[in-house]
């Protein structure tokens, strides 16, 4: 990606329309230039609208560095942040994270927002985090709220429980953990 292309992508990421912001995020997915890191970090922390910050979190899934991972962890834990931003940040951490990210997901799995709970459950399943099993069982039995475009929190808890149990049967450690 040229300097001009990076500037255009980041400008779209910070645009007024959700479609533009997520199209920019997809462009980053197609060409995950590490030189976009600074712009993504700035958008995640200072983006004017939740849709811009959410698109930045979504795009960060392919530009994972120690700085982006820590920024995503902060976003998940920030109770004042919009739930969609926190959810996208949790989803991004499911794909690349550090050992401390497991603790962040565990701390937020009982969040008041169903979106945050849902994506923390997903991340815990992908992380094969055995410490989550009791809370997964509890949410599978009690939390039947639906996340638009997906399924219920309870179903995600069951899916994550299955992922963890499968990983443990295969004695697989967290394959997405990045040593830091």
């Amino acid at each position: 990606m040229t300097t001009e292309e990076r500037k255009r992508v980041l400008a779209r990421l910070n645009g007024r329309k959700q479609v533009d912001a997520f199209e920019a995020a997809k462009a980053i997915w197609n060409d995950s230039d590490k030189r976009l890191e600074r712009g993504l970090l700035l958008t995640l922390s200072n983006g004017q609208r939740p849709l811009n910050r959410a698109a930045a979190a979504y795009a960060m899934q392919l530009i994972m560095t120690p700085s982006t991972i820590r920024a995503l962890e902060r976003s998940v834990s920030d109770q004042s942040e919009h739930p969609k931003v926190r959810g996208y940040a949790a989803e991004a951490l499911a794909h690349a994270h550090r050992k401390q990210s497991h603790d962040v997901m565990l701390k937020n799995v009982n969040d008041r927002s169903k979106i945050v709970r849902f994506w923390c459950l997903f991340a815990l399943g992908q992380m094969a985090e055995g410490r989550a099993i009791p809370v997964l069982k509890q949410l599978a039995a009690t939390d039947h709220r639906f996340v638009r475009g997906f399924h219920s929190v309870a179903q995600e808890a069951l899916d994550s429980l299955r992922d963890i149990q499968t990983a443990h049967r295969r004695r697989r450690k967290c394959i997405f953990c990045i040593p830091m």
Side-chain angles (χ1 to χ4, degrees):
M1 211 180 272
T2 67
T3 301
E4 279 305 309
E5 289 171 328
R6 284 194 304 276
K7 286 180 183 178
R8 278 194 301 273
V9 166
L10 290 171
R12 285 185 72 202
L13 189 72
N14 284 291
R16 292 177 145 300
K17 296 180 182 173
Q18 183 169 329
V19 170
D20 289 339
F22 278 90
E23 285 300 319
K26 287 181 193 175
I28 293 167
W29 269 59
N30 292 331
D31 187 357
S32 54
D33 188 332
K34 296 275 188 205
R35 291 173 289 186
L36 290 165
E37 177 189 32
R38 184 170 184 268
L40 287 169
L41 288 168
L42 287 170
T43 302
L44 181 63
S45 62
N46 300 320
Q48 188 172 4
R49 296 166 204 80
L51 69 94
N52 306 119
R53 297 188 303 276
Y58 177 78
M60 283 183 178
Q61 292 182 48
L62 286 164
I63 301 180
M64 285 297 201
T65 65
S67 295
T68 60
I69 290 171
R70 285 190 298 273
L72 289 165
E73 290 171 346
R74 281 190 302 274
S75 290
V76 172
S77 295
D78 183 354
Q79 297 289 316
S80 66
E81 181 57 271
H82 193 282
K84 284 187 179 182
V85 177
R86 296 174 68 213
Y88 276 111
E91 179 188 11
L93 287 168
H95 304 295
H97 52 271
R98 59 191 186 143
K99 289 187 185 287
Q100 291 90 332
S101 303
H102 294 231
D103 295 331
V104 171
M105 294 305 124
L106 285 165
K107 287 177 186 170
N108 289 284
V109 75
N110 283 313
D111 194 82
R112 68 178 186 260
S113 167
K114 65 184 177 183
I115 294 169
V116 175
R117 287 194 308 277
F118 182 95
W119 289 110
C120 285
L121 289 169
F122 171 76
L124 288 164
Q126 294 302 299
M127 293 171 176
E129 179 51 69
R131 293 178 295 162
I133 291 173
V135 74
L136 292 173
K137 288 179 178 178
Q138 183 228 348
L139 290 171
T142 61
D143 194 339
H144 301 289
R145 293 182 62 200
F146 274 81
V147 173
R148 189 175 187 187
F150 294 97
H151 47 255
S152 70
V153 174
Q155 182 60 53
E156 190 57 41
L158 289 171
D159 290 349
S160 295
L161 187 58
R162 183 195 67 235
D163 291 343
I164 291 168
Q165 291 169 337
T166 300
H168 284 242
R169 276 195 297 274
R170 293 180 182 158
R171 301 212 187 278
R172 174 177 65 96
K173 290 184 179 178
C174 179
I175 62 172
F176 299 114
C177 279
I178 297 171
M180 292 180 164

